[in-house]
Amino acid sequence: MLKKIAVIILLLLPIIYANGQVTTYEVAGLIKGTSYYKYAYLYQSETKNLLKTKVQNQQFLFVGEFTLERKGFNAAFIFLSNDSLDKFIDQQEVVLKQLDRQYRIMVMDGTPIKITIEDEVKNAKVEGGNLNKDYDEMNLAVRERRYIDFIESHSDSPISLLLIRGILPMKKFPFIGQLDFQELYDKLSDKVRQSEYGLETLKKIKNL
């Protein structure tokens, strides 16, 4: 259940394209140990864009441009496979099948990211990106149900808004429903609350 919450947090993100900033990205991957994977995939949940690159000499690289959402970051899934896209009916089938397997979620904000995979993809070490540390700490807080503690210690991070947005649809669950979402929002810094993403989050809270 808690794993599903983490995925829902990303899949329910709003898609905001207008006035998005076009920026570059670089995601470099290193696979340690023996690996027979032939392809690496990068899936951006907001843009629904799926990229594939070959794994060569235990390494892979994604470089290009993407539209950075106005909230300041995009979420992405990294996964490995021996299958090319040709084996699947369409892109959506690739994503749905892989989300039932192994993947690593990261946050892209235009700064270079390095991924090191030593055993399982889900345990890959992600370095770089201004918000990946916050995102990993959010995941730990979700597993331990420390929502309030995370928001209080990350009051100046947009990842706290991501957490609030992610758990809002799950308010019927007892351990979520007992939370006061307005109080959680009020714990955020003025900068985060007054951002466009913050004001949109407030509107969703008011509409509960």
Side-chain angles (χ1 to χ4, degrees):
M1 175 59 68
L2 295 179
K3 179 181 178 182
K4 289 182 179 179
I5 292 177
V7 175
I8 290 172
I9 285 175
L10 292 180
L11 295 183
L12 293 182
L13 286 174
I15 303 174
I16 308 171
Y17 295 107
N19 300 321
Q21 175 188 351
V22 176
T23 187
T24 59
Y25 66 84
E26 177 182 310
V27 180
L30 172 64
I31 305 173
K32 293 186 175 181
T34 303
S35 173
Y36 302 100
Y37 289 114
K38 298 178 181 179
Y39 301 98
Y41 287 92
L42 173 65
Y43 176 68
Q44 296 182 47
S45 61
E46 287 98 335
T47 62
K48 310 300 181 186
N49 189 28
L50 178 67
L51 301 174
K52 179 190 74 174
T53 189
K54 284 187 176 182
V55 176
Q56 297 179 317
N57 299 320
Q58 306 291 89
Q59 300 180 66
F60 59 87
L61 179 66
F62 292 96
V63 178
E65 292 185 343
F66 72 109
T67 301
L68 184 64
E69 304 300 329
R70 287 181 293 184
K71 62 181 177 294
F73 62 88
N74 291 18
F77 295 81
I78 282 281
F79 57 90
L80 304 176
S81 176
N82 284 321
D83 302 317
S84 69
L85 289 174
D86 297 336
K87 181 176 179 179
F88 299 93
I89 297 174
D90 54 29
Q91 170 180 308
Q92 189 65 19
E93 185 185 8
V94 178
V95 175
L96 290 176
K97 284 182 178 296
Q98 197 58 44
L99 290 185
D100 286 333
R101 298 156 120 185
Q102 282 203 32
Y103 56 86
R104 178 64 158 97
I105 301 173
M106 63 182 182
V107 179
M108 299 171 61
D109 59 8
T111 54
I113 294 175
K114 179 182 178 182
I115 299 177
T116 304
I117 303 170
E118 294 195 22
D119 46 20
E120 298 180 313
V121 177
K122 65 181 180 180
N123 297 324
K125 181 180 181 181
V126 177
E127 299 174 283
N130 297 317
L131 297 171
N132 276 302
K133 183 175 181 292
D134 289 353
Y135 177 77
D136 287 343
E137 290 173 354
M138 181 196 73
N139 268 339
L140 179 60
V142 167
R143 289 196 295 271
E144 298 177 353
R145 300 181 183 179
R146 294 185 295 100
Y147 312 108
I148 298 175
D149 289 345
F150 176 83
I151 290 173
E152 287 180 339
S153 60
H154 296 77
S155 61
D156 203 38
S157 173
I159 298 299
S160 289
L161 290 172
L162 177 63
L163 173 59
I164 293 174
R165 295 284 281 262
I167 62 178
L168 271 174
M170 308 189 74
K171 57 184 176 62
K172 292 183 179 179
F173 288 91
F175 57 91
I176 299 292
Q178 63 185 356
L179 298 173
D180 186 320
F181 289 101
Q182 183 64 57
E183 286 188 6
L184 292 179
Y185 180 83
D186 290 341
K187 292 179 182 295
L188 301 174
S189 68
D190 288 341
K191 182 183 74 173
V192 172
R193 290 200 311 270
Q194 295 304 314
S195 67
E196 187 168 359
Y197 192 44
L199 294 175
E200 288 174 353
T201 301
L202 178 60
K203 185 179 297 185
K204 288 184 175 293
I205 292 173
K206 297 293 187 183
N207 290 333
L208 281 177

